[in-house]
Amino acid sequence: MTETSTIQTTCPYCGVGCGMDISPKPEKNSRSNKLAGFEVKVIGSEFHPANFGKLCVKGSSAGETVDFDGRMLNPQVNGEVVSWDSALSTVADKFRSVIDEHGSDAVAFYVSGQLLTEDYYVANKLIKGFLGTANIDTNSRLCMASAVVGYKRAFGSDTVPCSYEDLEQAELIVFVGSNAAWAHPIVYQRIAAEKRRRPDMKIVVVDPRKTATCDIADLHLNLKPGTDAVLFNGLLAQLSKSPALNQGYINAHTEGFADAIAKAVERQGTIEKVAEQCELSVEDLSQFYNWVIENDKMVSLYSQGVNQSSSGVDKSNAIINCHLATGRIGKEGMGPFSITGQPNAMGGREVGGLANQLAAHMDFNKPESIDKVARFWKAENMAQENGLKAIDMFNAVADKKIKAIWIMNTNPVVSMPDADAVKKALQDCEMVVVSDCMQNTDTTQVADVLFPALTWGETDGSVTNSDRTISRQRKFMQGPENARADWWIMTQVAHKLGLADKFQYESAADIFREHAALSGFENDGSRDFDISLLENMTDGEYSSMQPFQWPLTADKRHGTKRMFEDNYFFTPSGKAQFIAITPKAPVHPTTKEYPFILNTGRVRDQWHTMTRTAKTAKLMAHTDEPYVMVHPADATDNKLMEGELAKVENELGLVIARVRIDRGQRKGSLFVPIHWTAQYASHGRVDVLVQPVGDPLSGQPESKHSPVKIAPYYAKWHGFILSREPINTDGLEYWVKVKGKQFYRYEIAGESAIENYQAWSNSFLDKTGDILDYEDASQKRYRSARIENGKLQTVAFIAPSTELPPRSWLGSLFANEIIDSKTRLNLLAGQLSGAKDEGKIICSCFGVGINTIVEAIKKDKLTTVEAIGQALKAGTNCGSCIPELTEILTVEQAKELTS
Amino acid sequence: MKLKLIVIGSGMVGARLIERILAKSPHIYDIRVFNKEPNGGYNRIMLSPVLAGEKTIPEIMTHNHDWFKQRDIHLHAGTEIREIDSINKTVKTDLGATYQYDKLVIATGSSPFILPVPGNDLPGLVTFRDIRDVNQMIQYSKYKQKAVVIGGGLLGLEAANGLIKLGMEVTVVHSNNVLMNMQMDAVSGELLKKSLTETGMQFCMNSKTVEILGDSHVTGVKMADGRVISCDLVVLAVGIRPNTTIAKKIGLEVNRGIIVNDQLQSSNPDIYALGECVEHRGMVYGLVAPLYEQAQVLADTLSGQSASYQGSAISTKLKVTGINLFSAGDFHDSNDSESLVYKDISQNIYRKIVLKDNKIKGAVMFGDVTGSNWIFENLVQQNDMSAYRDTLVFGEGFLPLANKDLEKEKVA
């Protein structure tokens, strides 16, 4: 085995886009699907502008996720492994026949912010240019679609004005709907470090929930959910009366201020009004407004809490309005900064991978743009209008208007609102094609055709992070033999559709050059996104491409740190636009039946639907089970107990989660994490509760405001199973699967009593090898373990309550080659006995072992059998051990003499 | 002038009593001991290891003639007491000699129960009680092949084990379908049978012996179902009968054994009794531990101290090398008890504890008896075991539930 040199790549997780240095040590037999001994060491790239050498726990554990465990290894049609040729033809034939029979709009792509830009580009080109429909949408719709529309309304372009550096130069940072501490750890740590350096820097967190981000906050505004636009309209009203108002800037570079301020003053003209509407104290609110007025260098860092709303676009414009009114944009340390959730949400925006985009930051609203792109692509069947956004797309699948859908690298059965309805729609769809790197996801399970995709580390491409930095993801290891890059899969389908000449790509570099060329095609400064300087780059240059911030043009040969420094905007007038905001309440208010507002979000160490992060025990250790966070008063009122289970439900579905009681949770609202899927939990898919309503402009679902009710889950029994191999969970009512080191842990519970434990466990636990069991029938406690060839295979504990032994000691035993007899006897006690090891029992009447006897002889200087008897009782009953005691004495005395 | 104390029987309990009296009050009594067996005192329990060849007779001698001599005790070995004159307070030996006593202790022990079936007096039929029996068996094993042990209790199995060690082919005939059915339940009995079968022991379970066959010497054993097992040696181990003949003769109150009060006093105030020959609060004990407790109480009493025997909880162990079993108390399920059962059948391990009102009522263990002494102690003391219930069956040394951190901890 030889160590290859370090390879620089980009993290596969969040939108911070950290650079990583990889040191892979591949196995000799790289064609093998086994990766025994393979080790991937990951450290932060010291020179990457996003992270300067730092990595969060997810990123630094990425090397532990590259095994082939659970990977999709072969193309499959209707559950059968088939050849690539056959699978590709099946898909091409079906798409062609559907289009021929029902028109272009009967097909769709649902893609992902985890696709690389090159893959994304090919997907967008294929469907919009050649299949004749813009029915391509992406999971980024769930993430930052509202921010895109907000920017476009204000700037005429989807332009993030800021750079991460601005965060370190700011005097005031306002986190709005962002738990960056968990969702964007490295950005948060950069801010936290700066805060330590400059304690007078002000940090405000606007979030109904007290999150980990509040740790560095000077002020936390736990406003009423959904009232962000009220808060910022109120801020605009206060700014207009303050010296912070930049009338010169407003006059010179903006339009629409009068309307916007009129609306704001009318509804949110006084601090008292705002305080009442947001359910905040006047003091806190005044403090916030004063800090904004006093601190010119202000960054508003906003994320899903703003975006995932039926009025998310208005909320982002309410924020941007405040920056325009103070001229706080296009300068160091300031700006409205939308931070994206995914590694390549931004790359998707750049290629136009959303249904309401065309390509390369062009839209369908200008016929000349459609013509331009069509000419560039030599497209024969160009889409002419926006396609269906995610919610509408899956509704169209449910209505049988879309008959064939190709889902790439995303898991909508988990992540879409009303997820059960999405699952049903896909089950009933004529053809569902899924490209994925994992064999078993909630979505691959409803697929007709499966394409095994290469994943992070196995393929080449580029990604764009939240501050417009384009970085390379590089191949550093061989993927499964039969898996392919996404661009290759789509290119091959295009070939089957007779489009070989339009999809002549041999490598990711080929695609990147075309993408760069399109960005500059008839641009002349009319579009913000332009990297045309790279359209003729060589393969070698692509291979060694260093991170840069777009635009990258002849004028800006090193990229662009900050946008709008020239105060020119991409609107027809060249001026930024104020948008008059009338704050709207969320679509579904709470009711008597569903009195709680359900909020959703991330936990620190998981990523999306856990297909990658759940593979490593380290990342499962932070939060191992789906939970519902509840305010103490709500817990009391609803008989909820810490650590017990609760049912969270509404008319759409049901989630069962572990109760966590937390004062940081707002009264009347609940929080459940987004990550758990049917692969890891029986009832952990929180999106089954989310109403399928979105922002009318962005189509982004209202994932943070679902009316629900909560009640205790009255489990008759609780338990856990640790198993070397995954178990069949079919017969279990409540279960959560957690990866441990060399084992899987299942936390389980049930509402119906178990009549016969043996029969019950037989239904899902393998029974080969040795079975150990324990039963305390009257207290309804049952435990069992299975040992095969000396190794622990499973251990199960059932109890009537959550009073169960710790799992860690039992879990650690899976690393043992052999379970010794003492450990074996202690297994079902759930802990190692602290009783002294007596050694071989000499006096069986009083159970005195040789270790105790030898110890007593030494300590108390015993010289006769009688003395031993007095000290330990040994030998004083039946006396049968007296000869052995005599022998032990002799041996010990001999030792004493020689020592 | 010392008081005259006569002890009939210098078996394990008689000898232990004398030891304790000497330790307590060496100058009160002039002690005279009569022993039917020709030797001094030996550890009867160790006869099984002697039979199995693991120990020798000298190794199990505990009180030889010199021991008595050195302590000025008159030992009459090979001498049986035939009569007691409780009015004149004398005893008369089989040789006709008469001795005066102030206090008399009867420690006559018990005799093997002889099955009342035809052929029970044939040569080749032995019991398993004393050195003579052991020597006889060892002799048989030298030129005979097949033995039948009647009785699958503690003693029978130890005898069978010894005979196997001596090279004989052994079948155990047992009237119950569970071996050691006084001490084992069905599961542990089955494991015991499995373990012994592995040593070569054969079994004829649930079988009642109706006849010992043979003309001049045993040739076989006949069962109630007509089956015949041929053999050259029959060992009878179907229980013991307290030796109460002499007590009955002088009109002491006797039921199964000589009835004694908590001071081990018989119905005659100057006559005490202890050991396997007595019945205390309805119980007749056949194991050494309770009898040693009796010896201590009686030694105290005879030394003029107030002492009281309250009866004993008993536990059982089998002296067969490689076989670990333990039982104590009442380990059978009942409506008012709760059972904790652990099984690791492939390792021949079974442990069961029966609780009543959170106190240990009984326990049975096979294969692994770790912590059995602790369990027994808690049974004897009737401690409340609620805090340990979750781990009780696994023995001692576990954190009680009350101290356990109930917060579910993470596993990585």
Side-chain angles (χ1 to χ4, degrees), chain B residues 297-331:
Chain B
V297 169
L298 185 51
D300 291 347
T301 303
L302 291 174
S303 303
Q305 291 178 0
S306 83
S308 171
Y309 178 64
Q310 303 288 330
S312 299
I314 54 167
S315 65
T316 304
K317 280 166 182 137
L318 182 70
K319 292 229 164 9
V320 171
T321 306
I323 291 185
N324 295 308
L325 62 79
F326 167 85
S327 90
D330 177 5
F331 47 79

CSV table of all heavy atoms in Angstrom, one decimal, chain B residues 297-331:
chain,number,residue,atom,x,y,z
B,297,VAL,N,-24.8,-24.4,69.2
B,297,VAL,CA,-25.9,-24.0,70.1
B,297,VAL,C,-25.8,-25.0,71.3
B,297,VAL,O,-25.8,-24.5,72.5
B,297,VAL,CB,-27.3,-24.1,69.5
B,297,VAL,CG1,-28.4,-24.0,70.5
B,297,VAL,CG2,-27.4,-23.0,68.4
B,298,LEU,N,-25.6,-26.2,71.1
B,298,LEU,CA,-25.6,-27.2,72.2
B,298,LEU,C,-24.3,-27.0,73.0
B,298,LEU,O,-24.4,-27.1,74.2
B,298,LEU,CB,-25.7,-28.6,71.6
B,298,LEU,CG,-25.7,-29.7,72.7
B,298,LEU,CD1,-26.8,-29.5,73.7
B,298,LEU,CD2,-26.0,-31.1,72.0
B,299,ALA,N,-23.2,-26.7,72.4
B,299,ALA,CA,-22.0,-26.4,73.1
B,299,ALA,C,-22.2,-25.2,74.1
B,299,ALA,O,-21.8,-25.3,75.2
B,299,ALA,CB,-20.8,-26.2,72.2
B,300,ASP,N,-22.8,-24.2,73.6
B,300,ASP,CA,-23.1,-23.0,74.4
B,300,ASP,C,-24.0,-23.4,75.5
B,300,ASP,O,-23.8,-23.0,76.7
B,300,ASP,CB,-23.8,-21.9,73.5
B,300,ASP,CG,-22.8,-21.3,72.5
B,300,ASP,OD1,-21.6,-21.6,72.7
B,300,ASP,OD2,-23.3,-20.6,71.6
B,301,THR,N,-25.1,-24.2,75.2
B,301,THR,CA,-26.0,-24.6,76.2
B,301,THR,C,-25.4,-25.4,77.3
B,301,THR,O,-25.5,-25.1,78.5
B,301,THR,CB,-27.2,-25.4,75.6
B,301,THR,OG1,-27.7,-24.6,74.5
B,301,THR,CG2,-28.2,-25.8,76.6
B,302,LEU,N,-24.5,-26.3,76.9
B,302,LEU,CA,-23.9,-27.2,77.9
B,302,LEU,C,-22.8,-26.4,78.7
B,302,LEU,O,-22.4,-26.9,79.8
B,302,LEU,CB,-23.3,-28.4,77.2
B,302,LEU,CG,-24.3,-29.4,76.7
B,302,LEU,CD1,-23.6,-30.5,75.9
B,302,LEU,CD2,-25.1,-30.0,77.8
B,303,SER,N,-22.4,-25.3,78.1
B,303,SER,CA,-21.5,-24.5,78.9
B,303,SER,C,-22.2,-23.5,79.8
B,303,SER,O,-21.5,-22.6,80.4
B,303,SER,CB,-20.6,-23.7,77.9
B,303,SER,OG,-19.9,-24.6,77.0
B,304,GLY,N,-23.5,-23.6,79.8
B,304,GLY,CA,-24.2,-22.8,80.7
B,304,GLY,C,-24.6,-21.4,80.2
B,304,GLY,O,-25.1,-20.5,80.9
B,305,GLN,N,-24.5,-21.3,78.8
B,305,GLN,CA,-24.9,-20.0,78.2
B,305,GLN,C,-26.2,-20.2,77.6
B,305,GLN,O,-26.6,-21.3,77.2
B,305,GLN,CB,-23.9,-19.6,77.1
B,305,GLN,CG,-22.5,-19.2,77.7
B,305,GLN,CD,-21.5,-18.9,76.7
B,305,GLN,OE1,-21.8,-19.0,75.5
B,305,GLN,NE2,-20.3,-18.6,77.1
B,306,SER,N,-26.9,-19.1,77.5
B,306,SER,CA,-28.2,-19.2,76.8
B,306,SER,C,-28.0,-19.1,75.3
B,306,SER,O,-27.3,-18.2,74.8
B,306,SER,CB,-29.2,-18.1,77.3
B,306,SER,OG,-29.0,-17.0,76.6
B,307,ALA,N,-28.5,-20.1,74.7
B,307,ALA,CA,-28.3,-20.2,73.2
B,307,ALA,C,-29.6,-20.8,72.6
B,307,ALA,O,-30.3,-21.6,73.4
B,307,ALA,CB,-27.1,-21.0,72.8
B,308,SER,N,-29.8,-20.5,71.4
B,308,SER,CA,-31.1,-21.0,70.9
B,308,SER,C,-30.9,-21.3,69.4
B,308,SER,O,-30.4,-20.5,68.7
B,308,SER,CB,-32.2,-19.9,71.1
B,308,SER,OG,-33.3,-20.3,70.4
B,309,TYR,N,-31.4,-22.5,69.1
B,309,TYR,CA,-31.3,-22.9,67.6
B,309,TYR,C,-32.6,-22.6,67.0
B,309,TYR,O,-33.7,-23.0,67.5
B,309,TYR,CB,-31.0,-24.4,67.5
B,309,TYR,CG,-30.9,-24.9,66.1
B,309,TYR,CD1,-30.0,-24.4,65.2
B,309,TYR,CD2,-31.8,-25.8,65.7
B,309,TYR,CE1,-29.9,-24.8,63.9
B,309,TYR,CE2,-31.8,-26.3,64.4
B,309,TYR,CZ,-30.8,-25.8,63.5
B,309,TYR,OH,-30.8,-26.2,62.2
B,310,GLN,N,-32.6,-21.8,65.9
B,310,GLN,CA,-33.8,-21.3,65.3
B,310,GLN,C,-34.2,-22.1,64.0
B,310,GLN,O,-35.1,-21.8,63.3
B,310,GLN,CB,-33.7,-19.8,64.9
B,310,GLN,CG,-33.3,-18.9,66.1
B,310,GLN,CD,-34.5,-18.7,67.0
B,310,GLN,OE1,-35.7,-18.8,66.6
B,310,GLN,NE2,-34.2,-18.6,68.3
B,311,GLY,N,-33.4,-23.1,63.8
B,311,GLY,CA,-33.6,-23.8,62.5
B,311,GLY,C,-32.7,-23.2,61.4
B,311,GLY,O,-32.2,-22.1,61.6
B,312,SER,N,-32.5,-23.9,60.3
B,312,SER,CA,-31.5,-23.4,59.4
B,312,SER,C,-32.1,-23.4,58.0
B,312,SER,O,-32.9,-24.2,57.6
B,312,SER,CB,-30.3,-24.3,59.3
B,312,SER,OG,-29.7,-24.4,60.5
B,313,ALA,N,-31.7,-22.3,57.2
B,313,ALA,CA,-32.0,-22.4,55.8
B,313,ALA,C,-30.8,-23.2,55.2
B,313,ALA,O,-29.7,-23.1,55.7
B,313,ALA,CB,-31.9,-21.0,55.2
B,314,ILE,N,-31.2,-24.0,54.3
B,314,ILE,CA,-30.1,-24.9,53.8
B,314,ILE,C,-29.9,-24.7,52.3
B,314,ILE,O,-30.7,-24.3,51.5
B,314,ILE,CB,-30.4,-26.4,54.0
B,314,ILE,CG1,-31.8,-26.7,53.4
B,314,ILE,CG2,-30.4,-26.7,55.5
B,314,ILE,CD1,-32.0,-28.2,53.4
B,315,SER,N,-28.6,-24.9,52.0
B,315,SER,CA,-28.3,-24.8,50.5
B,315,SER,C,-27.5,-26.1,50.2
B,315,SER,O,-26.9,-26.7,51.0
B,315,SER,CB,-27.4,-23.6,50.3
B,315,SER,OG,-26.2,-23.7,50.9
B,316,THR,N,-27.6,-26.4,48.9
B,316,THR,CA,-27.0,-27.7,48.4
B,316,THR,C,-25.9,-27.4,47.4
B,316,THR,O,-26.0,-26.6,46.6
B,316,THR,CB,-28.1,-28.5,47.7
B,316,THR,OG1,-29.2,-28.6,48.6
B,316,THR,CG2,-27.6,-29.9,47.3
B,317,LYS,N,-24.9,-28.2,47.5
B,317,LYS,CA,-23.9,-28.3,46.5
B,317,LYS,C,-23.6,-29.8,46.2
B,317,LYS,O,-23.7,-30.6,47.1
B,317,LYS,CB,-22.6,-27.6,46.9
B,317,LYS,CG,-22.8,-26.1,46.7
B,317,LYS,CD,-21.7,-25.3,47.4
B,317,LYS,CE,-22.0,-23.8,47.3
B,317,LYS,NZ,-21.8,-23.1,48.5
B,318,LEU,N,-23.2,-30.1,45.0
B,318,LEU,CA,-22.9,-31.4,44.6
B,318,LEU,C,-21.4,-31.6,44.5
B,318,LEU,O,-20.8,-30.8,43.9
B,318,LEU,CB,-23.6,-31.8,43.3
B,318,LEU,CG,-23.5,-33.2,42.8
B,318,LEU,CD1,-24.3,-34.1,43.6
B,318,LEU,CD2,-23.9,-33.3,41.3
B,319,LYS,N,-20.9,-32.6,45.2
B,319,LYS,CA,-19.5,-32.8,45.2
B,319,LYS,C,-19.1,-33.7,44.0
B,319,LYS,O,-18.7,-34.9,44.2
B,319,LYS,CB,-19.0,-33.4,46.5
B,319,LYS,CG,-19.1,-32.4,47.6
B,319,LYS,CD,-17.8,-32.3,48.4
B,319,LYS,CE,-17.8,-31.1,49.3
B,319,LYS,NZ,-19.0,-30.3,49.4
B,320,VAL,N,-19.3,-33.2,42.8
B,320,VAL,CA,-18.9,-33.9,41.6
B,320,VAL,C,-18.0,-32.9,40.8
B,320,VAL,O,-18.5,-31.9,40.5
B,320,VAL,CB,-20.1,-34.4,40.8
B,320,VAL,CG1,-19.6,-34.9,39.4
B,320,VAL,CG2,-20.9,-35.4,41.5
B,321,THR,N,-16.8,-33.3,40.7
B,321,THR,CA,-15.9,-32.3,40.0
B,321,THR,C,-16.4,-31.9,38.7
B,321,THR,O,-16.8,-32.7,37.9
B,321,THR,CB,-14.5,-33.0,39.9
B,321,THR,OG1,-14.1,-33.5,41.2
B,321,THR,CG2,-13.5,-32.0,39.4
B,322,GLY,N,-16.4,-30.6,38.4
B,322,GLY,CA,-16.8,-30.1,37.1
B,322,GLY,C,-18.2,-29.8,37.1
B,322,GLY,O,-18.7,-29.2,36.1
B,323,ILE,N,-19.0,-30.1,38.1
B,323,ILE,CA,-20.4,-29.8,38.1
B,323,ILE,C,-20.7,-28.8,39.2
B,323,ILE,O,-20.4,-29.0,40.3
B,323,ILE,CB,-21.3,-31.0,38.2
B,323,ILE,CG1,-21.1,-31.9,36.9
B,323,ILE,CG2,-22.7,-30.7,38.5
B,323,ILE,CD1,-22.0,-33.1,36.9
B,324,ASN,N,-21.2,-27.6,38.7
B,324,ASN,CA,-21.6,-26.6,39.7
B,324,ASN,C,-23.1,-26.5,39.8
B,324,ASN,O,-23.7,-26.2,38.8
B,324,ASN,CB,-21.0,-25.2,39.2
B,324,ASN,CG,-19.5,-25.2,39.2
B,324,ASN,OD1,-18.9,-25.6,40.2
B,324,ASN,ND2,-18.9,-24.9,38.1
B,325,LEU,N,-23.6,-26.7,41.0
B,325,LEU,CA,-25.0,-26.5,41.2
B,325,LEU,C,-25.2,-25.9,42.6
B,325,LEU,O,-24.4,-26.1,43.5
B,325,LEU,CB,-25.8,-27.7,40.9
B,325,LEU,CG,-25.7,-28.9,41.7
B,325,LEU,CD1,-26.4,-28.8,43.1
B,325,LEU,CD2,-26.3,-30.1,41.0
B,326,PHE,N,-26.3,-25.2,42.7
B,326,PHE,CA,-26.6,-24.6,44.0
B,326,PHE,C,-28.1,-24.5,44.1
B,326,PHE,O,-28.8,-24.2,43.1
B,326,PHE,CB,-26.0,-23.2,44.0
B,326,PHE,CG,-26.5,-22.4,45.1
B,326,PHE,CD1,-26.0,-22.4,46.4
B,326,PHE,CD2,-27.6,-21.5,44.9
B,326,PHE,CE1,-26.4,-21.7,47.4
B,326,PHE,CE2,-28.1,-20.7,46.0
B,326,PHE,CZ,-27.5,-20.8,47.2
B,327,SER,N,-28.6,-24.9,45.2
B,327,SER,CA,-30.0,-24.6,45.4
B,327,SER,C,-30.3,-24.3,46.9
B,327,SER,O,-29.6,-24.7,47.8
B,327,SER,CB,-30.9,-25.7,44.9
B,327,SER,OG,-31.2,-26.6,45.9
B,328,ALA,N,-31.3,-23.5,47.1
B,328,ALA,CA,-31.6,-23.1,48.5
B,328,ALA,C,-33.1,-22.6,48.5
B,328,ALA,O,-33.6,-22.1,47.5
B,328,ALA,CB,-30.7,-21.9,48.9
B,329,GLY,N,-33.7,-22.9,49.6
B,329,GLY,CA,-35.1,-22.4,49.8
B,329,GLY,C,-36.1,-23.0,48.8
B,329,GLY,O,-35.8,-24.1,48.2
B,330,ASP,N,-37.2,-22.4,48.7
B,330,ASP,CA,-38.2,-22.9,47.8
B,330,ASP,C,-38.2,-22.1,46.5
B,330,ASP,O,-38.4,-20.9,46.5
B,330,ASP,CB,-39.6,-22.6,48.5
B,330,ASP,CG,-40.7,-23.1,47.6
B,330,ASP,OD1,-40.5,-23.6,46.5
B,330,ASP,OD2,-41.9,-22.8,48.0
B,331,PHE,N,-37.8,-22.8,45.5
B,331,PHE,CA,-37.6,-22.2,44.2
B,331,PHE,C,-38.6,-22.6,43.2
B,331,PHE,O,-38.5,-22.4,42.0
B,331,PHE,CB,-36.2,-22.5,43.6
B,331,PHE,CG,-35.9,-24.0,43.7
B,331,PHE,CD1,-36.5,-24.9,42.8
B,331,PHE,CD2,-35.1,-24.5,44.7
B,331,PHE,CE1,-36.2,-26.3,42.9
B,331,PHE,CE2,-34.9,-25.9,44.8
B,331,PHE,CZ,-35.4,-26.8,43.9
